[in-house]
Amino acid sequence: MTVALMWEARAVAGRGAELLAWARAQELAGQPLRRETFRAPQDRVLVITWWDAEYDAVLPELPEPGGELVTRAVHRWRFEAVAEPPTAGAPTGPTSR
């Protein structure tokens, strides 16, 4: 199963670049399948890591940045990947030409 951990923080006004650099510098205790970092208006930073693990597995997460860097506690979410349903009208088996 694939589990995605999302970590989102909002920097003190004008310190978004510093928060982004801080998040990028954080090393995890394990190696995720994938890690992506995003930024958004209002000096927000989002980091998503993907893991090959069960939903409730203990996984390494990014810590809370120092209180002087963020305006509020970090928001965290955990999701599990689900298979995409077949597309309506798409062929379901081999086709001949």
Side-chain angles (χ1 to χ4, degrees), residues 1 14-16 19-20 25 30 33 35 46 53 56-58 63 76 78-79 82 93:
M1 162 184 299
R15 296 184 70 185
L19 177 60
L20 178 60
L33 298 171
R35 176 177 172 163
L46 171 69
D56 57 355
V58 176
R76 300 171 192 273
R78 182 177 287 225
F79 297 89
V82 295

Side-chain angles (χ1 to χ4, degrees), residues 1-5 51-59 77-81:
M1 162 184 299
T2 301
V3 176
L5 301 182
W51 303 87
D52 181 17
E54 293 300 315
Y55 183 81
D56 57 355
V58 176
L59 297 168
W77 301 274
R78 182 177 287 225
F79 297 89
E80 66 179 274

Side-chain angles (χ1 to χ4, degrees), residues 23-40:
R24 285 181 163 168
Q26 299 308 299
E27 293 190 22
L28 298 169
Q31 183 66 34
L33 298 171
R34 184 169 150 193
R35 176 177 172 163
E36 290 190 60
T37 305
F38 302 86
R39 64 180 173 187

